[in-house]
Amino acid sequence: MTEGLRARLDHVTEQLVPQADALHPSEAADRLALHVSQILESALESLPDKERVATGVQVVRALLAQVESQLDWDVGTDRPDDEGMVLRALRRRQPDGTPRAIDQPLIPLLDTTLLTNAPGEPTVGSQLRTEIASADRIDIVMAFIRMTGITPLLDALRTHRREGRQVRVLTTTYTGSTEQRALDVLRDLGAEVRVSYDLTTTRLHAKAWLFHRDSGYSTAYVGSSNLTHSAQVAGLEWNVRLSSARNASVTQKVAAVFDAYWENPDFRAYDPAEFAEQTERSTREDETYLSPVEIRLEPFQDRLLEQIEVARARGRHKNLLVSATGTGKTVMAAVDYARLRPTLTRDRLLFVAHREEILRQSQATFRHALRDPSFGERWVAGERPREFDHVFASVQSLSAGAIDSIDPAHFDVVIVDEFHHAAAPSYRRLLDHLAPVELLGLTATPERADGLPILDLFDGRIAAELRLWDAIDQQRLAPFTYFGIYDGLNYGQVPWRRGQGYDVTSLTNLYTGNDVWARQVVKELTDRVGDMAQAKVLGFCCSVDHARWMADRFNEVGIPSLAVWADTPTEERKRALLDLQTGRLNVVFSVDLFNEGVDVPSVDTLLLLRPTDSPTLFLQQLGRGLRKAPGKTSCLVLDFVGQHRKEFRFDLRYRALLGGTRRELEDRIKQGFPFLPAGCDLSLDRVASEKVLQNIRESIPTRWQAKADELRTLARSHGDVSLATYLQQTGLDLEDVYTSNKSWSDLREAAGLPLAPAGPDEAVIRRAIGRVGHIDDSERMATYRAWLLGDVPPQVSVLDDRRRRLARMLVGAIAGQALTKEHTLQSALDLLWDHPQVRAELRELLDVLAPQLNHLHTPLVGRPAVPLQVHARYTRLEILAAFGVGDSVRPANWQAGVQWVEPEQADLFVFTLDKSAGSFSPTTRYRDYAISRDLIHWESQSKTRADSATGLRYQHHAARGSDVMLFARLNTKELAFWFLGPATYVSHVSERPMQITWRLDHPLSGDLFASFAAAVA
């Protein structure tokens, strides 16, 4: 071996060894394999054929020896023999004993390349045909399929199926191009075919083949070619051929996303009669076909209903659901009622709306959801109920029918549609009179044009509100293109009133002081709008004078504009909005009209001309432009950014939009907002980005001393300040207090506030308090709060097994660093109770965490001693303590992702979906993921064989009476794992590692599925 080659091998191991501990074993092996292949390719290409094998064996043996010694990997018998040979294929024998000939792809299975059907390169179709014979399974996703495309492949596919190997096909009726005959042929040869009949323009356009090979040499074709003759042979098509040997992470993602689509109910098993009916309907020009309401909740809908259930579990039985128009509020209400019925002594229902057509549609939805074609009676337009058990009534009929004669407790469930009307006298009288078990309000907007309140009926609370992203992802709202533009205004001299924001009069004077700013607004708008004459623009202003002034400036430059506000006569306002819709006006400037008073779905441009750090108002303004309308593809948003006072909070508005922490928001701004729904774009110009980042850093205290100063100032005006009050008043998050091993007690001490006496291990135990900031299940909160209120610790001798383990979870997390092997559970509790300030802080922390509970939790069935709740979060230490692993006080150390607990007969798996430290890693994201809400793809440790004792236990755990428990987190920044609950083995492919599919006993909640899924189709 040459010195140069030896130096390259040394360099590889020097790079790999420091990373190995942080890598998933499979990823470390993948990186090693890539390094080896690159070295071999460059080192051997100049050698004669006869020397390549021997030299390659020598190189691989040398590298494996280095890896084995430095990484403590047991390479064992997998070393190559000294006499190497190249294995090219395993072929079946013919009846006469000769090996059967198979086509060999011109592109080696190791290579990645781009195919364009260019002269001198093989066609895509020819290469697909040659890959079929060596594939163990084939997955195909095609926007459309025609006979001309599949005919050349049929012989190879038939042979593939005759040998019992799988073919799965996903396709659509998009553009009406898929031929039924082609699907019939695929079905007849034994392929599994699923079809999506969704014709919206944002659905499946993908074209890909995935050839699975158990040898590890899978390949994929991803590109522009559908299954047609021209696409496969003659068209100007681009297709990338990927090799899992070189591009493992990409082929893993192809497999993951395909499985996610395959499990999505949008894709239905191919039925010739259904296909013919659906495609015939889609081509009829003289018929408007409305498909029946399909009672299958989308993940976001199920999540909203879960939030309402959480509110009810906390004793709140008047709840408001806020969800955009077109997101299926009535469907959600019907499913919610169906779930409620078994819990009610009676199930009398009153559904209230203000229009007859709404009542008829709603009754039909409830009938479909309840599988009862005769459900309900209407009380509207002369119709009157006979039974009065399930009534769909107009508010006008109820008002005319003597509301006072209805027994207030007659109806168990009252649902009010379009609840933003509920402040009107007719609604108010009805709601003040009725006393149902459950009240549910439905609305797209909780605000009214007349300013009358509706949230007071719900204690100022919205139980469940649809996130903007969910509505855009589900194509219920239009996507947007958002520009943050620096306008040069300095707000430093504009007075600020706490709780109210900038002084409106001074703000108006700043805007209207000269025409320069208005000219900039006009220029930015006209530069970005393609045809100003066709634009429909809504501008938000800070005052009536500001709106009038802006309208005058726009009219002066020939852009027809008008200002409206709350006192504008109703007819005049309606006429202005009609003129905007029809094009007689191009711009309407409004003041504090964020509701149905300004509702023109065709609005395609928004001008944000007033500073608001209120997340509610910001999202309402944005929502005014996101209503879908014919011909509207997206909404342009121009937001003008100046130099703001430090009291102004950019982070509040952007976090309401994007989610995440303030630190994550800073990263997103610096990266240019890379994670947005399809079709959306958000950008800040260079200066605007700098100003926003500066504001985020300066608007709240970030240095420890500044945080202490803020606490001291609050204490002067509020007296002794609780943790909850401090966070509310300062806008800080818990992570801002529990940072750098600090605690709330440390902050109180720095601010000079009184503390309880210190215990013997005060500093050590205080540092650990932040490690329980993830507690989110009511059982732990209630148990710990009850214990911490007492001056003496709980007595272990009177605790049952479940509470002993809860105690272990508490002391292990908080006092673990101060405990020794000599400590018993009782002495550990005694030690914790010797720190009264720590106990006081824990009580305050639980008070902050309690209102944040937002998932339904389910205890483990059949394991009364294990105090874990499905869909709550736990650290490794807490998981082991809950399963009784370790000594009487401290759980055992657990670094690996798997743990077999013999006494409990349970396998515990903790896994991280994105194993990188960042927010996205294309090489690690698709090893462990959710295929559907009840299916999880999980990869075992790299050495696990299918026929090993461990592998067999995984496969046969149900028959053997052992359980599999899954715990997942999104990334390595998270300390705690979501408990996904028990799971059952479904299937696996490959080994070392095994790629196993598990079925969850408890389906993922909508938000967890959206976070954990490889793709949400």
Side-chain angles (χ1 to χ4, degrees), residues 564-816:
V564 298
W565 56 94
D567 293 334
T568 302
T570 301
E571 289 305 314
E572 185 178 335
R573 190 164 63 207
K574 287 181 178 179
R575 186 168 57 252
L577 297 181
L578 179 61
D579 288 346
L580 180 66
Q581 186 167 344
T582 57
R584 286 189 290 270
L585 283 176
N586 291 127
V587 187
V588 169
F589 293 97
S590 70
V591 185
D592 292 334
L593 292 175
F594 307 119
N595 41 59
E596 63 181 356
V598 176
D599 189 10
V600 181
S602 57
V603 164
D604 55 19
T605 305
L606 299 177
L607 295 176
L608 307 188
L609 305 176
R610 54 164 291 176
T612 174
D613 61 357
S614 163
T616 300
L617 292 182
F618 177 67
L619 294 180
Q620 287 165 2
Q621 288 178 351
L622 195 57
R624 287 304 103 210
L626 301 187
R627 289 284 302 278
K628 299 191 77 174
K632 176 179 173 180
T633 57
S634 66
C635 180
L636 173 66
V637 183
L638 303 185
D639 190 2
F640 292 85
V641 176
Q643 178 70 48
H644 283 277
R645 298 174 59 110
K646 68 177 184 178
E647 293 92 343
F648 187 82
R649 297 284 301 278
F650 271 113
D651 64 305
L652 294 179
R653 57 149 67 176
Y654 288 128
R655 286 174 65 188
L657 182 65
L658 303 168
T661 65
R662 197 167 54 254
R663 189 171 294 109
E664 290 170 338
L665 173 60
E666 289 190 48
D667 290 340
R668 290 175 180 178
I669 294 172
K670 293 173 184 175
Q671 295 164 2
F673 303 99
F675 304 106
L676 297 173
C680 290
D681 186 71
L682 196 160
S683 62
L684 304 174
D685 68 33
R686 181 183 60 80
V687 180
S689 178
E690 292 172 358
K691 297 301 181 185
V692 170
L693 286 171
Q694 179 185 3
N695 174 268
I696 290 172
R697 294 171 185 140
E698 294 179 353
S699 60
I700 59 175
T702 55
R703 294 180 299 106
W704 184 254
Q705 189 55 52
K707 296 173 191 175
D709 292 343
E710 186 78 5
L711 176 57
R712 188 182 303 110
T713 300
L714 282 172
R716 293 194 190 106
S717 58
H718 290 72
D720 196 8
V721 178
S722 68
L723 174 59
T725 300
Y726 178 73
L727 296 176
Q728 180 184 20
Q729 292 292 321
T730 62
L732 289 166
D733 299 323
L734 275 176
E735 67 172 12
D736 296 312
V737 173
Y738 293 98
T739 181
S740 303
N741 288 323
K742 296 289 189 180
S743 72
W744 171 238
S745 297
D746 293 329
L747 192 61
R748 288 179 63 90
E749 189 171 41
L753 271 61
L755 299 173
D761 295 287
E762 188 78 14
V764 172
I765 295 180
R766 273 193 200 177
R767 285 200 300 268
I769 298 176
R771 297 173 195 162
V772 296
H774 61 275
I775 292 179
D776 61 350
D777 70 88
S778 56
E779 180 186 20
R780 276 206 291 174
M781 286 187 176
T783 303
Y784 291 165
R785 183 181 283 110
W787 287 348
L788 292 165
L789 285 172
D791 292 330
V792 296
Q795 298 304 298
V796 174
S797 60
V798 300
L799 297 179
D800 59 20
D801 287 344
R802 187 179 184 89
R803 281 175 173 71
R804 284 196 185 98
R805 293 186 181 186
L806 281 171
R808 284 189 63 199
M809 293 165 71
L810 176 63
V811 298
I814 300 297

Side-chain angles (χ1 to χ4, degrees), residues 145-153 179 182 227-230 232-233:
I145 300 173
R146 303 184 71 83
M147 279 301 301
T148 58
I150 65 170
T151 298
L153 306 173
E179 291 181 335
L227 262 173
T228 66
H229 173 75
S230 62
Q232 300 294 318
V233 178

Side-chain angles (χ1 to χ4, degrees), residues 917-978:
S919 57
F920 175 70
S921 171
T923 61
T924 63
R925 187 68 173 85
Y926 298 97
R927 299 187 187 278
D928 306 316
Y929 53 86
I931 300 171
S932 67
R933 291 184 62 190
D934 60 353
L935 292 177
I936 299 291
H937 178 281
W938 175 81
E939 195 169 274
S940 73
Q941 291 187 304
S942 60
K943 294 182 182 180
T944 305
R945 292 184 180 274
D947 60 356
S948 67
T950 299
L952 292 172
R953 186 176 73 243
Y954 293 167
Q955 297 171 67
H956 305 296
H957 72 95
R960 296 181 179 184
S962 66
D963 288 327
V964 170
M965 305 288 179
L966 302 185
F967 301 82
R969 62 182 177 182
L970 188 57
N971 55 54
T972 55
K973 296 176 184 178
E974 299 175 359
L975 178 66
F977 296 80
W978 292 95

Side-chain angles (χ1 to χ4, degrees), residues 171-193:
T171 191
T172 77
T173 55
Y174 179 65
T175 75
S177 298
T178 293
E179 291 181 335
Q180 181 162 4
R181 182 185 168 205
L183 301 189
D184 288 338
V185 169
L186 289 171
R187 181 202 57 182
D188 291 344
L189 65 81
E192 299 175 72
V193 181

